[in-house]
Amino acid sequence: MITDADIKRINELYHKSKSEGLTPEEKQEQVKLREAYIESVRANMRSQLNNIDVKRPDGSIVSLKEQAAQNLAKKKKHAN
């Protein structure tokens, strides 16, 4: 999980890269921190999307996750 300290360090490395450049070790650290940050954002987005319900035109309610799985199954069926 990404912490406030990690975000602060990402920003510090960004500003240092613009002003004076980074050492190879700092570049590696920056890459790892950015990857962790991106994965954290993606996981948060997936979690939020999985908790959304959709009301269909027929009045039934289905979770967005379930509807996406059904749509994917339909696309696979039509592709064959």
Side-chain angles (χ1 to χ4, degrees):
M1 176 160 197
I2 200 92
T3 65
D4 288 341
D6 293 334
I7 293 171
K8 182 178 179 183
R9 183 65 178 151
I10 290 169
N11 289 329
E12 289 171 357
L13 290 170
Y14 170 77
H15 291 297
K16 184 177 180 196
S17 73
K18 294 297 179 189
S19 65
E20 59 189 81
L22 298 175
T23 65
E25 294 82 18
E26 288 172 329
K27 287 179 183 179
Q28 289 177 343
E29 179 186 8
Q30 184 181 44
V31 167
K32 288 180 183 180
L33 285 170
R34 285 182 174 179
E35 287 173 353
Y37 178 78
I38 290 168
E39 181 53 38
S40 175
V41 169
R42 286 179 178 157
N44 186 13
M45 182 64 73
R46 280 190 298 271
S47 175
Q48 288 181 29
L49 290 173
N50 288 339
N51 290 317
I52 295 174
D53 292 333
V54 176
K55 186 174 182 180
R56 293 184 171 170
D58 66 2
S60 63
I61 296 176
V62 64
S63 72
L64 191 59
K65 182 178 180 178
E66 184 180 325
Q67 182 167 337
Q70 290 173 357
N71 290 344
L72 183 60
K74 285 179 185 178
K75 284 182 182 180
K76 285 184 180 180
K77 182 179 178 182
H78 290 296
N80 292 331

